[in-house]
Amino acid sequence: MASVSVRDVAALAGVSMGTVSNVLNHPDKVSSATVARVQSAVEKLGFVPNGVARQLRAGISNSIGLVVLDAANPFFTDLASGAEARAAERHHTVLVGNSSQDPARETAYLDLFEQQRVRGVLLSPVGDVLPRLERLHHRGIPSVLVDRQAGDPGFSSVSVDDVAGGRLATTHLVSLGHRRIVFVGGPFRLRQVSDRLAGARSATKHRPDTSIEFVETESLTVEAGHTAGQEIRARTTNDRPDAVFAANDLVALGLLQAFMHQGSIKVPEEIALIGYDDITFASAAVVPLSSVRQPSHRIGSTSVELLLREADGGKEPRHIVFQPELVVRASTGR
Amino acid sequence: MASVSVRDVAALAGVSMGTVSNVLNHPDKVSSATVARVQSAVEKLGFVPNGVARQLRAGISNSIGLVVLDAANPFFTDLASGAEARAAERHHTVLVGNSSQDPARETAYLDLFEQQRVRGVLLSPVGDVLPRLERLHHRGIPSVLVDRQAGDPGFSSVSVDDVAGGRLATTHLVSLGHRRIVFVGGPFRLRQVSDRLAGARSATKHRPDTSIEFVETESLTVEAGHTAGQEIRARTTNDRPDAVFAANDLVALGLLQAFMHQGSIKVPEEIALIGYDDITFASAAVVPLSSVRQPSHRIGSTSVELLLREADGGKEPRHIVFQPELVVRASTGR
DNA sequence: GCGCCGTATTGATTCGTTTCAATATCGAAT
DNA sequence: ATTCGATATTGAAACGAATCAATACGGCGC
């Protein structure tokens, strides 16, 4: 019942296996009469070529591996959909792995992709992956760092200037008159977080009347934001900040939920709030959320672009940096 | 420079390919001295077994294909994460495809999975896929319908009783005194939509004082909801419903955005609103959203469970139906 | 010293496809 | 009639690992 192979098709059509293969892949090399005969045999047997065997023979697949930090974050689903779209145009497939910010899972996916001999790897890294990428590179598997500038210029990268984004958000808060700012996000070892934080710091550096405090969270989720928000809500009014900059919108939404609980803290009157990523849900939040927009879809498509360029030609690595954009909504007053 | 194979490892270790393979897969069959020698050769050469070759030889992969209706919908990302977690426990990998409610893309992913000879397929269908699944089944690839009861009992399914869910939501609206209800969602050909709608209808059937109207959208997205909301907002006050039941939370959030625009319609005072799925963002919305909760994570893990059972033992198909749960928040008053 | 048994190891074959040099076929040109 | 060329087709050799019957190697009892 199981598998019909080219052999069976060839037998039924009365030709050799090579000819069947040619009908499938180079129909122009085969006389039209034979093409017809083979195709009807394919039809009759319900033959579907075995992609695994094909890939083994070809030596390289047309799949691209993508490891994201958090599949539940709309920023990454947008990014992934951008990557998929571009890949589909080039007849490639994207395999998405979710590291959930766990270095072990990240490694597991890299192992899988290496074993599967994917065409290349797109990665928004958690752990220290450079040695790993070296190894992949050495094996002929190129990689592109996504949403993070390469520490090592040896690897291509597509990123957004997170320092600029952090500065944008913070400058905006300061310009509204806020002086006591809290940055919420984490873990700080994530580049996205530390860069946005650095931007925040640089925006306040030359303003001695402002202060900036850092609250580290375990992850960049709604839940983590909610926890941090409860901590802030528990403070006495005097100890509270007058503005909060969240490392991403999920955290911001969690904070917002905590602040609004029983109406304890009014946003933006008592505390102004700004997030990062401008996910779809930001504008539909209890208090529509100000945010820093990133071109998530384009990041994905551009990454694939770079990756395939490298996989094909072997050009030297490139670095593309997009600029973020401030989006002002009700959560920072106006 | 590329690939080191078992052959190279065997040569360096001074053993046969068969022995290398045994070290990798049945270390107990090999003397410990040889194991050590082979492992050091593996180390030295940086050998990573070729998963593609392995799979070809094995004849079956340990990947599971999953096709979702909308990867941007948190309901499906939760479902996928449930599936991944369960699959990982069983040493399987989930390949996620996003059909975006497009039958052509759905078919493309099924083609891919068939060519890749995956272990099985999880599918939340858009088009008429039963013939396709028959074919897969005939080829020895089992499938499980996800988030939809099988029309054909020949295939296993894991679903939520959407009719009950629709009834739950609508009964709730009626019990709050709402009499003029609009159901927003689409396309109606999606089972999820038509079932929820059927539930809504059944809840109002024996109440001649209530009316229910159906507004069909092109898809189940925030944007589609927003468009439908603008249409409703454009009506004269007399023509407006006093409650809206959205086919999912994304649509509900879109509606909410449209209603709140310049404060034109107050929720829930002028129009009560209830969604479906209870995604994370529902509780953080402008007006926290009432919804119908589904056990998305468990749906995913249970699906994998059923699929692997079928892939292993070949037991007869099973049908699991979860019950939805009403979650009341501010958007339906109280 | 011989046969026997269990453990270790080998080497050839298989999985299903693509590739490519070799061959077959046929018409046109010499 | 023979050669040349172009076009179609063939068949065998890869790709890289897993399997399994066959063999080698010891040690043991007799």
Side-chain angles (χ1 to χ4, degrees):
Chain A
M1 61 155 54
S3 51
V4 292
S5 70
V6 288
R7 168 170 282 107
D8 305 313
V9 175
L12 179 59
V15 297
S16 76
M17 289 167 48
T19 300
V20 175
S21 172
N22 278 333
V23 170
L24 263 44
N25 304 294
H26 311 284
D28 47 315
K29 303 254 170 205
V30 183
S31 80
S32 55
T34 321
V35 169
R37 206 143 35 89
V38 169
Q39 277 178 342
S40 95
V42 165
E43 203 87 358
K44 188 174 293 175
L45 296 177
F47 168 74
V48 172
N50 184 323
V52 177
R54 181 176 278 189
Q55 216 169 276
L56 172 60
R57 178 63 233 243
I60 195 69
S61 86
N62 52 193
S63 298
I64 294 170
L66 165 62
V67 185
V68 299
L69 279 178
D70 178 10
N73 184 339
F75 169 75
F76 283 111
T77 52
D78 281 1
L79 189 156
S81 100
E84 270 163 19
R86 196 92 192 83
E89 285 173 18
R90 308 291 221 81
H91 305 287
H92 283 254
T93 310
V94 177
L95 305 180
V96 184
N98 179 15
S99 71
S100 303
Q101 303 185 26
D102 174 354
R105 298 192 57 183
E106 175 174 72
T107 303
Y109 275 111
L110 290 177
D111 285 347
L112 178 67
F113 293 154
E114 184 172 4
Q115 282 174 22
Q116 289 299 118
R117 305 293 195 266
V118 296
R119 195 74 196 284
V121 170
L122 305 178
L123 180 67
S124 57
V126 212
D128 177 23
V129 287
L130 286 180
R132 234 9 240 294
L133 298 187
E134 299 277 12
R135 180 166 130 190
L136 286 174
H137 179 76
H138 186 261
R139 183 168 257 111
I141 301 180
S143 46
V144 172
L145 292 171
V146 174
D147 194 34
R148 151 123 171 229
Q149 235 169 321
D152 182 326
F155 296 100
S156 290
S157 66
V158 177
S159 59
V160 177
D161 188 339
D162 278 338
V163 177
R167 199 180 299 123
L168 218 50
T170 312
T171 305
H172 170 61
L173 294 176
V174 171
S175 77
L176 291 171
H178 302 297
R179 292 293 174 265
R180 185 153 171 209
I181 298 172
V182 167
F183 175 92
V184 179
F188 289 164
R189 105 186 105 80
L190 286 182
R191 190 57 167 270
Q192 286 89 334
V193 176
S194 63
D195 278 2
R196 289 166 200 179
L197 188 154
R201 183 179 274 135
S202 92
T204 55
K205 197 161 45 185
H206 300 300
R207 309 231 9 173
D209 57 332
T210 63
S211 78
I212 186 154
E213 175 194 345
F214 307 112
V215 173
E216 183 165 15
T217 58
E218 284 191 7
S219 63
L220 294 171
T221 59
V222 174
E223 201 184 11
H226 193 258
T227 307
Q230 286 176 318
E231 187 269 313
I232 292 173
R233 203 182 63 203
R235 299 183 185 184
T236 66
T237 314
N238 274 347
D239 275 348
R240 287 181 188 159
D242 50 17
V244 173
F245 171 24
N248 79 3
D249 283 350
L250 298 184
V251 171
L253 290 173
L255 287 163
L256 193 56
Q257 270 184 290
F259 291 168
M260 303 291 291
H261 184 66
Q262 300 175 328
S264 28
I265 301 178
K266 287 197 170 56
V267 176
E269 292 81 359
E270 298 175 59
I271 297 185
L273 178 63
I274 187 165
Y276 208 104
D277 288 347
D278 191 30
I279 64 178
T280 312
F281 304 105
S283 61
V286 187
V287 180
L289 205 61
S290 296
S291 195
V292 178
R293 181 180 298 162
Q294 314 199 70
S296 43
H297 200 86
R298 278 196 72 195
I299 295 174
S301 56
T302 307
S303 304
V304 168
E305 193 67 36
L306 253 58
L307 187 71
L308 290 183
R309 171 203 304 266
E310 244 179 284
D312 291 338
K315 317 252 183 177
E316 60 204 22
R318 290 184 52 190
H319 301 275
I320 295 190
V321 179
F322 290 106
Q323 286 306 310
E325 185 188 340
L326 182 68
V327 178
V328 178
R329 297 204 184 87
S331 74
T332 52
R334 188 180 29 87
Chain B
M1 68 155 45
S3 51
V4 293
S5 68
V6 289
R7 168 170 282 107
D8 305 312
V9 175
L12 179 60
V15 297
S16 75
M17 290 169 49
T19 299
V20 175
S21 172
N22 278 333
V23 170
L24 262 43
N25 305 294
H26 311 283
D28 47 315
K29 303 254 167 204
V30 183
S31 79
S32 53
T34 321
V35 169
R37 205 142 36 88
V38 169
Q39 277 179 342
S40 95
V42 165
E43 203 87 359
K44 188 173 294 174
L45 296 176
F47 168 74
V48 173
N50 184 323
V52 177
R54 182 177 278 192
Q55 219 169 272
L56 173 60
R57 179 64 232 250
I60 196 66
S61 85
N62 52 192
S63 298
I64 293 170
L66 164 63
V67 186
V68 299
L69 280 177
D70 177 11
N73 185 339
F75 169 75
F76 284 111
T77 52
D78 282 0
L79 189 156
S81 100
E84 270 163 17
R86 196 93 192 81
E89 286 174 16
R90 308 289 222 81
H91 305 286
H92 283 254
T93 311
V94 177
L95 306 179
V96 185
N98 180 15
S99 70
S100 303
Q101 302 185 24
D102 174 354
R105 298 193 57 185
E106 176 174 72
T107 303
Y109 274 112
L110 289 177
D111 285 347
L112 177 67
F113 293 154
E114 185 171 3
Q115 283 173 23
Q116 290 299 117
R117 305 291 195 267
V118 296
R119 195 75 196 282
V121 170
L122 305 179
L123 180 66
S124 57
V126 211
D128 176 25
V129 286
L130 287 180
R132 235 9 241 294
L133 297 188
E134 298 277 11
R135 180 166 130 191
L136 285 174
H137 179 77
H138 186 260
R139 182 168 256 109
I141 302 181
S143 45
V144 172
L145 292 171
V146 174
D147 194 34
R148 152 128 170 224
Q149 235 171 318
D152 182 325
F155 297 100
S156 289
S157 66
V158 176
S159 59
V160 176
D161 188 339
D162 278 338
V163 177
R167 199 180 299 127
L168 218 51
T170 312
T171 304
H172 171 61
L173 293 176
V174 171
S175 77
L176 291 171
H178 301 298
R179 292 294 173 264
R180 188 154 168 206
I181 298 171
V182 167
F183 175 92
V184 179
F188 288 165
R189 107 185 102 81
L190 285 183
R191 190 58 168 269
Q192 285 89 333
V193 176
S194 63
D195 278 3
R196 290 165 199 179
L197 188 154
R201 183 180 275 136
S202 91
T204 54
K205 196 162 47 184
H206 300 301
R207 309 231 7 174
D209 58 330
T210 63
S211 79
I212 186 155
E213 175 194 346
F214 307 111
V215 172
E216 184 165 15
T217 58
E218 284 191 7
S219 63
L220 294 172
T221 60
V222 175
E223 201 184 10
H226 193 258
T227 306
Q230 285 176 317
E231 187 269 313
I232 292 173
R233 203 182 64 204
R235 299 183 185 183
T236 65
T237 314
N238 273 348
D239 276 347
R240 286 181 189 159
D242 48 17
V244 173
F245 172 24
N248 78 3
D249 283 349
L250 298 184
V251 171
L253 290 172
L255 287 162
L256 193 56
Q257 270 184 289
F259 291 167
M260 305 289 293
H261 183 66
Q262 299 176 327
S264 27
I265 301 179
K266 287 198 171 55
V267 176
E269 292 80 0
E270 297 175 59
I271 297 185
L273 178 63
I274 186 165
Y276 208 105
D277 288 347
D278 191 31
I279 64 178
T280 310
F281 304 104
S283 61
V286 187
V287 181
L289 205 60
S290 295
S291 195
V292 177
R293 179 180 300 159
Q294 312 199 69
S296 43
H297 200 86
R298 278 195 71 195
I299 295 175
S301 57
T302 307
S303 304
V304 168
E305 194 66 37
L306 253 57
L307 188 71
L308 290 184
R309 170 202 303 267
E310 243 178 285
D312 291 338
K315 316 252 183 177
E316 60 205 23
R318 289 183 52 188
H319 301 276
I320 295 189
V321 179
F322 289 107
Q323 287 307 310
E325 185 188 341
L326 182 69
V327 178
V328 178
R329 297 203 184 85
S331 74
T332 52
R334 186 181 33 87

